[in-house]
C-alpha cells in the first residue's frame, strides 16, 4: 500500500467473505463493492488501471475487458527446440 501512496486508488471489495482484504485501507482510497467488474466500471476508473488481487479477481477483470488470456506466458520448456534435451 505504501507504494501506491499519492496515487488515485479505487479499492474494489468483493462480496465473497473468503476473498476479503481485512487490513485497514488508507483514508484517501475510494472503496466500491463489486460482484462482477463490468467494462463500463473499469473504464470509469481512468486511463490506467492496475489490478492486484487473487487470480480469481484478476481473471474476472481480464474477462470483463475481453483480454486475450489463452496464454499469459511461455514456459522455459516450451521455448527449447525439440530434441535439445536441456
Amino acid at each position: 500500500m505504501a507504494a501506491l501512496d499519492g496515487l488515485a486508488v479505487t479499492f474494489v471489495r468483493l462480496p465473497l467473505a473468503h476473498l476479503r482484504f481485512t487490513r485497514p485501507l488508507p483514508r484517501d482510497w475510494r472503496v466500491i463493492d463489486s460482484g462482477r467488474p463490468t467494462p463500463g466500471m473499469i473504464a470509469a476508473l481512468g486511463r490506467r488501471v492496475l489490478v492486484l488481487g487473487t487470480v480469481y479477481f484478476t481473471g474476472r477483470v481480464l474477462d470483463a475487458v475481453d483480454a486475450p488470456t489463452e496464454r499469459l506466458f511461455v514456459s522455459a520448456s516450451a521455448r527449447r527446440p525439440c530434441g535439445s534435451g536441456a
Side-chain angles (χ1 to χ4, degrees), residues 10-16 20 30-38 41 57:
T10 300
F11 182 87
V12 179
R13 188 173 25 223
L14 292 172
L16 305 170
R20 296 242 178 204
R30 186 173 134 206
V31 178
I32 60 174
D33 290 311
S34 176
R36 174 160 295 284
T38 64
M41 180 198 94
F57 177 68

Side-chain angles (χ1 to χ4, degrees), residues 10-82:
T10 300
F11 182 87
V12 179
R13 188 173 25 223
L14 292 172
L16 305 170
H18 68 285
L19 296 177
R20 296 242 178 204
F21 183 80
T22 57
R23 298 181 103 186
L25 300 173
R27 290 182 184 185
D28 58 337
W29 284 18
R30 186 173 134 206
V31 178
I32 60 174
D33 290 311
S34 176
R36 174 160 295 284
T38 64
M41 180 198 94
I42 296 164
L45 296 174
R47 190 168 160 263
R48 293 186 179 114
V49 175
L50 170 64
V51 178
L52 303 172
T54 63
V55 171
Y56 171 81
F57 177 68
T58 56
R60 289 179 79 152
V61 172
L62 290 170
D63 186 49
V65 297
D66 201 26
T69 58
E70 290 300 312
R71 182 162 71 185
L72 296 175
F73 65 93
V74 177
S75 68
S77 62
R79 288 190 293 257
R80 280 189 228 134
C82 289

